[in-house]
């Protein structure tokens, strides 16, 4: 009897240890931090996902969602469409997970009234020379409740709604690099009833969902085309000004050299009667 009870205890203890180990591992894998308070911009949020004590996903961005909804017209018969501008809240709750080829960031605010899910994948990408690994954002989901009164004013038929991206391929970046884009970007999401288009507006973006080599530090940035074009537009006048200034300096130098050479030459008189005064 005692042997069987002891054996039972021996069987239970390893099972309990395995359960505690699994729970601890899950807790470590799901460690997420909202560091938005460290941001120098009041509109920009900072989120970090850590896997077993190591940073595996970092995201900095400013975001808002523009959501159309119906309200009653002044005659209380017709409907008119308004837009709710919903910014991301500083006190948002964050969840996330990382994998070798898939990562996800889930942000909720005002309880569970608003939830934004960003999904990332890493895959091979064929180029003209070879196949290289890239990562991109391939799915976005936004869940919202139009009965919330902060941003929705007297919505008709209020309730929970879901808007999803379709065939999304955004923020395409070479593997091992972070994506950076200061310019404003818009991504369209379609509601589940296919009647509304919700617009996600992103700016001041810096994201890296894979291959972070140093804790809390982004890898080398891959700039978006808009930023590269704006940078070129800013530097092009400076480059042209430098070239123009250099051309002016060269022209002035050539003129002075030519003038000195011309002045140093002996002036031979054309009138033969002046030869007797020479020497």
């Amino acid at each position: 009897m005692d042997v069987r009870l002891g054996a039972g205890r021996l069987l239970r203890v390893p099972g309990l240890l395995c359960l505690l180990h699994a729970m601890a591992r899950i807790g470590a894998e799901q460690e997420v931090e909202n560091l938005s308070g460290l941001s120098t911009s009041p509109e920009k949020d900072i989120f970090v996902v850590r896997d077993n004590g190591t940073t595996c996903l970092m995201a900095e961005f400013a975001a808002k969602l523009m959501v159309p909804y119906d309200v009653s017209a002044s005659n209380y018969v017709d409907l008119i469409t308004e837009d709710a501008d919903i910014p991301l809240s500083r006190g948002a709750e964050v969840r996330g997970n990382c994998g070798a080829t898939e990562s996800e960031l889930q942000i909720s605010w005002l309880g569970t009234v608003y939830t934004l899910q960003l999904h990332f994948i890493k895959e091979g990408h064929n180029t003209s020379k070879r196949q290289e690994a890239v990562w991109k954002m391939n799915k976005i989901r936004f869940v919202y409740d139009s009965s919330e009164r902060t941003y929705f004013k007297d919505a008709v038929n209020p309730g929970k709604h879901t808007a999803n991206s379709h065939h999304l391929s955004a923020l395409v970046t070479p593997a091992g690099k972070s994506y950076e884009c200061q310019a404003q970007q818009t991504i369209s999401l379609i509601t589940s009833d296919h009647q509304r288009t919700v617009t996600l507006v992103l700016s001041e973006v810096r994201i890296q969902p894979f291959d972070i080599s140093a804790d809390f530090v982004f890898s080398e940035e891959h700039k978006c085309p808009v930023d590269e074009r704006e940078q070129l537009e800013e530097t092009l006048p400076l480059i042209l000004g430098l070239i123009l200034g250099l051309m002016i300096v060269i022209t002035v130098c050539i003129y002075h050299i030519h003038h000195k050479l011309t002045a140093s030459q002996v002036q031979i008189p054309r009138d033969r009667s002046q030869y007797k005064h020479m020497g």
Side-chain angles (χ1 to χ4, degrees), residues 55 59 67 97 170 191 231 234 261:
T55 304
V67 183
N97 58 74
T191 57
Q231 186 177 9
E234 290 175 358
L261 290 175

Side-chain angles (χ1 to χ4, degrees), residues 254-271:
I254 291 174
Y255 171 77
H256 279 290
I257 293 171
H258 177 73
H259 181 72
K260 287 183 177 181
L261 290 175
T262 304
S264 63
Q265 290 178 357
V266 178
Q267 296 295 325
I268 301 175
R270 295 182 179 180
D271 188 353

Side-chain angles (χ1 to χ4, degrees), residues 207-245:
I207 295 179
Q208 186 172 358
F210 304 101
D211 306 317
I212 297 178
S213 56
D215 220 14
F216 295 106
V217 178
F218 285 109
S219 300
E220 178 187 356
E221 73 277 2
H222 171 76
K223 290 185 178 292
C224 64
V226 178
D227 277 9
E228 289 183 342
R229 185 165 57 250
E230 288 181 352
Q231 186 177 9
L232 179 61
E233 290 174 354
E234 290 175 358
T235 57
L236 190 58
L238 178 61
I239 294 172
L240 292 176
L242 290 173
I243 293 173
L244 180 60

Side-chain angles (χ1 to χ4, degrees), residues 70-205:
D70 289 333
V71 297
S72 296
S74 56
N75 59 11
Y76 298 101
V77 176
D78 299 323
L79 297 178
I80 59 176
T81 301
E82 299 281 355
D83 279 324
D85 288 351
I86 306 172
L88 202 59
S89 173
R90 270 291 176 93
E93 297 181 3
V94 191
R95 298 174 62 186
N97 58 74
C98 301
T101 58
E102 294 189 23
S103 293
E104 186 178 71
L105 186 66
Q106 179 175 303
I107 307 163
S108 301
W109 62 103
L110 290 183
T112 57
V113 174
Y114 304 111
T115 299
L116 179 65
Q117 294 177 325
L118 309 177
H119 191 268
F120 307 91
I121 61 169
K122 184 167 68 172
E123 60 184 7
H125 178 68
N126 291 321
T127 65
S128 58
K129 296 181 179 179
R130 64 184 185 280
Q131 186 179 55
E132 61 179 15
V134 299
W135 66 262
K136 64 182 180 180
M137 184 161 60
N138 69 321
K139 291 179 187 176
I140 299 176
R141 170 175 289 186
F142 180 56
V143 180
Y144 63 96
D145 191 342
S146 59
S147 63
E148 195 274 321
R149 303 298 295 272
T150 305
Y151 303 108
F152 293 94
K153 309 297 184 183
D154 303 319
V156 175
N157 299 322
K160 283 265 189 182
H161 302 274
T162 301
N164 293 284
S165 60
H166 290 268
H167 310 293
L168 182 65
S169 180
L171 319 187
V172 179
T173 303
K177 292 187 177 183
S178 62
Y179 176 87
E180 182 177 11
C181 194
Q182 297 299 310
Q184 192 175 92
Q185 305 170 80
T186 59
I187 300 174
S188 296
L189 313 176
I190 308 299
T191 57
S192 52
D193 58 7
H194 297 283
Q195 294 183 0
R196 302 288 184 188
T197 299
V198 175
T199 303
L200 171 63
V201 182
L202 295 172
S203 60
E204 301 181 78
V205 177

Side-chain angles (χ1 to χ4, degrees), residues 16-32:
L16 180 61
L17 289 174
C18 289
L19 178 61
L20 291 174
H21 177 72
M23 291 176 64
R25 184 173 180 179
I26 290 172
E29 290 176 347
Q30 299 297 320
E31 183 183 356
V32 181

